[in-house]
Structures are given as structure tokens and as C-alpha cells.
């Protein structure tokens, strides 16, 4: 029987529920070297967190995240709170010797993200591991995309085209939520969903963004206050609040290998619910992905003779792809939640092996540097803005 890994989850809204599902499910479909225990769920409201713990399968509750970090039966802290508390909680947990999984984006500012990355590097020297939750990396079709690029099947990357399209606040009467408040969320569509396409395109291509030119827009500046606090669209109550973040971000960029990038992150693409669309064009081939058809990768092989060349629709459900063989027979498909379960599998495996999991807090800091450059560019008439890097 493998040793246990006591998990303490902070936060129980949408991400808390997705992470709870992953902690519950992973040991039932993967042979894990450590057995996760859903030890404690933390939330500020005792009645609400007790109800969430019962629903999501947690053994105990706390109303102060500091108590979670003090507990000897907690080995790992999973941070699923709004971005304004990521740094305080994650750094305290790392300094207490707890492994940390932190939701994306890593933080609300570069300074916070840098402090988190520094704390993670210090903790790693003592065998304490950390990961930032860019779960879409763990969608099998994305893994195949990265593999094809790494094998040179696309050749030299020329174009990266990435969109993340949602519409949950396209209705101007949709009420305020913490995701629309800068002091809580750091930014709007840019950090919440733009962070995903920045991470994904860098992950697939193996290249980094070196500079951007950007526009941000807030289409609806005042919204009804919610009848009750919630993280996504809720029910309108009395009064109004001011939206202090972007509703949409569009930006161009250059990658380290010379490719040009075009990015769009918006919550106003009416009819698009969670459409992550990526197309990459190289000198030898192209690929295209749409999360709303997440088990499929489209691949154009430029080596194919023109008469029979065309985008191939690959259904990425064969057991030979990472993770896939642990689930269903070919063609039955995976869903949004599987990326979270795969995240738990890789994190627990890395901890057991004494390895640093990816994406690391350093990877999260790099995404934060891109987000910050986008905001600085947009504030200066879309001026070209370099992204600090090792070079
Ligand atoms: C809301 O836009 C959201 O929940 C993001 O915060 C998540 O990271 C994404 O996976 C789904 O949409």
C-alpha cells in the first residue's frame, strides 16, 4: 500500500470542485506511488465549507488557511483561491515544507510571481515540490501537438495563432464577480484565459514570447452586484459595481525562434463557451486544435504529395498516447476534468520521485511577465514591449 499524501485544499468554487474531482479520481485510474488523502478543505464560511466538504469528499474543514499549513496531516496545499491570495498562501506553505499546487495565473503581479518562484526554488532544495495549474497542457491532443513539433514534423515555426473565446459576461446584465475586480483577479480575460494560451503556445512550440504589442478593452464598465458572491456568472442583486479589468485582450508577439504570434482572449465571443483555438504553421506542416472538440488534433503534413495532401483529423484516443490508456477504449473520448486528473498524476509522481514537476512556478513567472508586458503595451498605445528573459 503506497504511502499517503495528505492534501489540504484552499477554496471550493469552480476550481476547487475540479481539483477535488481530480484528487478523488486519480488513484482509481492510475497506479500512483503515493495515495492522495482528501484531508482538509478550507473556506472562510464554516457552514458553506462544511457543506462543500461533504459534497466534494473532504474529511475535515478549516476556516483559516493558516491552520491547514500548521497541520501535520497535510503534506500538500492546493491553492484554488482568487489570485490576490496565491502568493501569501503558497509562500507560507512552501516555507512550512508543504508541497504546493497553485491555480493559474500564478499571481496578480510580476513581483508576487517572482517571490513565489524564489520561494519555490528555495523549497525545492529541501525536496519540497510546486506546480502551477495550467491543466490544458495535459489534454492528450495538446501532448501530440507538442510531440509533432519536437519531432520536427512542422519544421521551422512561422505562425502561432491562438484564441481563447468565452461569452459568459457578454450579457451586460450579468452581475459582478471577483473575476471582474482588479484587486482580486489582477486582470480580466487576459490573466484568466489569456494566460492559458500564452502557456499552451510556449509549451507546444518549446519557444518563448520575447515581445508583444497589445490592446485591452472593457466593453461593459458597470454591472449589477450579485445577489450572492460567486466566481462565474451569478444572479443579479441590488446596486451596481465597476468593472476594473479587461473584458478582452488582443495582442501580437514574436517568439524566440522568429515565429509571429497572434493572440485573442475574450469573454464577449457570443456563442463560444470555452473555445481554445490554436493553429501553428511551420515550414513543413501545420496543426490546429479547438478545445470544443478536444479529443481531436488536425495535422497537415507538408511532406505529403499535393494530390493527396490535406488536414488529417486525428482522434487522439489511442492507448499509446500519455494518460489515454488508463481511461476508455479508443474513440470514447476525455473531457475538461481529465486535464485536472492528469495534473494530479504528474504532480504526485514527481513528488514520489523527488523531481520538480512542470509547469513550475518559474514557468508561471514567465507567463506573468508576458501578461505584464501586454498590460504595459496596451497602456502605451500598443507600443512594442519587450519581455524580460534570460537572454
Ligand atoms: C473562467 O474563465 C475559467 O474557469 C478559467 O478560470 C479556467 O482556468 C478555465 O479552465 C475555464 O474557464
Amino acid at each position: 500500500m503506497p504511502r499517503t499524501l495528505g492534501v489540504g485544499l484552499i477554496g471550493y468554487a469552480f476550481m476547487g470542485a475540479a481539483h477535488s474531482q481530480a484528487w478523488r479520481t486519480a488513484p482509481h485510474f492510475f497506479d500512483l506511488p503515493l495515495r492522495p488523502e482528501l484531508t482538509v478543505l478550507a473556506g472562510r464560511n464554516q457552514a458553506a465549507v462544511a457543506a462543500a466538504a461533504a459534497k466534494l469528499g473532504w474529511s475535515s474543514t478549516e476556516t483559516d488557511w493558516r491552520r491547514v499549513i500548521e497541520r501535520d496531516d497535510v503534506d500538500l496545499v492546493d491553492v484554488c483561491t482568487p489570485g490576490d491570495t496565491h502568493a501569501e498562501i503558497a509562500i507560507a506553505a512552501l516555507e512550512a515544507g508543504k508541497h504546493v499546487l497553485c491555480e493559474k495565473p500564478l499571481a496578480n503581479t510580476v513581483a508576487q510571481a517572482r517571490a513565489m518562484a524564489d520561494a519555490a526554488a528555495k523549497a525545492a532544495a529541501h525536496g519540497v515540490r510546486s506546480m502551477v495549474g495550467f491543466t490544458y497542457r495535459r489534454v492528450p491532443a495538446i501532448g501530440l501537438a507538442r510531440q509533432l513539433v519536437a519531432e520536427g514534423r512542422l519544421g521551422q515555426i512561422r505562425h502561432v495563432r491562438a484564441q481563447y473565446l468565452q461569452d459568459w459576461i457578454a450579457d451586460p446584465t450579468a452581475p459582478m464577480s471577483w473575476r471582474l475586480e482588479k484587486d482580486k483577479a489582477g486582470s480580466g480575460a487576459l490573466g484568466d484565459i489569456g494566460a492559458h494560451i500564452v502557456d499552451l503556445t510556449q509549451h507546444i512550440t518549446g519557444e518563448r514570447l520575447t515581445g508583444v504589442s497589445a490592446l485591452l478593452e472593457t466593453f461593459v464598465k458597470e454591472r449589477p452586484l450579485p445577489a450572492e458572491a460567486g466566481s462565474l456568472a451569478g444572479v443579479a442583486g441590488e446596486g451596481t459595481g465597476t468593472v476594473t479589468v479587461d473584458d478582452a485582450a488582443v495582442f501580437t508577439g514574436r517568439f524566440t525562434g522568429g515565429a509571429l504570434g497572434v493572440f485573442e482572449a475574450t469573454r464577449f465571443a457570443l456563442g463560444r463557451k470555452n473555445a481554445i483555438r490554436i493553429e501553428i504553421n511551420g515550414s513543413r506542416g501545420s496543426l490546429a486544435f479547438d478545445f470544443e472538440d478536444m479529443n481531436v488534433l488536425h495535422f497537415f503534413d507538408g511532406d505529403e504529395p499535393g494530390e493527396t495532401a490535406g488536414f488529417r483529423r486525428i482522434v487522439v484516443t489511442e492507448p499509446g498516447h500519455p494518460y489515454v490508456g488508463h481511461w476508455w477504449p479508443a474513440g470514447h473520448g476525455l473531457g475538461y476534468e481529465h486535464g485536472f486528473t492528469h495534473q494530479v498524476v504528474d504532480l504526485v509522481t514527481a513528488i514520489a520521485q523527488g523531481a520538480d514537476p512542470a509547469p513550475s512556478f518559474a514557468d508561471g513567472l514567465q507567463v506573468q511577465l508576458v501578461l505584464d508586458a501586454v498590460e504595459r503595451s496596451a497602456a502605451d498605445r500598443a507600443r512594442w514591449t519587450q519581455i524580460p528573459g534570460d537572454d
Side-chain angles (χ1 to χ4, degrees), residues 2 23 26-28 30-36 344-346 348-349:
W23 290 114
H28 298 294
F30 294 80
D31 297 326
L32 298 182
L34 297 169
R35 184 164 50 80
V344 161
V345 171
D346 292 345
V348 170
T349 303

Side-chain angles (χ1 to χ4, degrees), residues 290-328:
D290 183 344
F291 184 77
E292 291 190 347
D293 189 13
M294 66 172 278
N295 291 285
V296 169
L297 181 70
H298 300 272
F299 172 51
F300 181 91
D301 182 350
D303 293 346
E304 183 77 22
E307 296 69 21
T308 55
F311 269 96
R312 194 186 301 167
R313 183 176 185 276
I314 304 169
V315 180
V316 190
T317 57
E318 295 301 318
H321 295 289
Y323 315 112
V324 175
H326 291 265
W327 298 103
W328 323 124

Side-chain angles (χ1 to χ4, degrees), residues 126-145:
H126 304 285
V128 177
R129 308 298 167 194
S130 47
M131 180 194 266
V132 58
F134 287 111
T135 54
Y136 293 121
R137 288 183 172 210
R138 294 184 158 89
V139 171
I142 295 293
L144 179 58

Side-chain angles (χ1 to χ4, degrees), residues 247-279:
D247 287 329
V250 297
F251 55 100
T252 58
R254 282 189 188 281
F255 285 82
T256 36
L260 295 180
V262 179
F263 294 80
E264 188 180 5
T266 181
R267 293 162 162 166
F268 278 69
L270 205 57
R272 299 298 178 202
K273 301 306 172 182
N274 201 49
I276 302 170
R277 298 174 162 185
I278 293 172
E279 179 162 326

Side-chain angles (χ1 to χ4, degrees), residues 14-15 104 136 164 166 168 179 192-193 196 232 274 336:
F14 178 7
M15 285 302 112
K104 43 49 63 182
Y136 293 121
Y164 197 149
Q166 295 180 338
W168 58 281
R179 278 183 162 84
D192 184 26
I193 51 180
H196 278 300
L232 285 165
N274 201 49
Y336 174 72

Side-chain angles (χ1 to χ4, degrees), residues 164-252:
Y164 197 149
L165 312 175
Q166 295 180 338
D167 70 358
W168 58 281
I169 53 169
D171 176 352
T173 66
M176 288 296 292
S177 81
W178 66 261
R179 278 183 162 84
L180 306 183
E181 299 169 33
K182 187 168 184 63
D183 61 338
K184 284 279 185 194
S187 61
L190 174 63
D192 184 26
I193 51 180
H196 278 300
I197 51 179
V198 168
D199 177 68
L200 274 178
T201 52
Q202 296 187 134
H203 175 68
I204 292 168
T205 61
E207 301 184 20
R208 267 193 323 99
L209 276 160
T210 58
V212 292
S213 169
L215 298 173
L216 297 178
E217 186 53 66
T218 304
F219 298 117
V220 175
K221 296 176 171 46
E222 289 289 321
R223 288 184 177 272
L225 292 176
E228 56 183 56
S231 68
L232 285 165
V235 175
E238 296 297 314
T240 61
T242 303
V243 175
T244 51
V245 295
D246 57 282
D247 287 329
V250 297
F251 55 100
T252 58

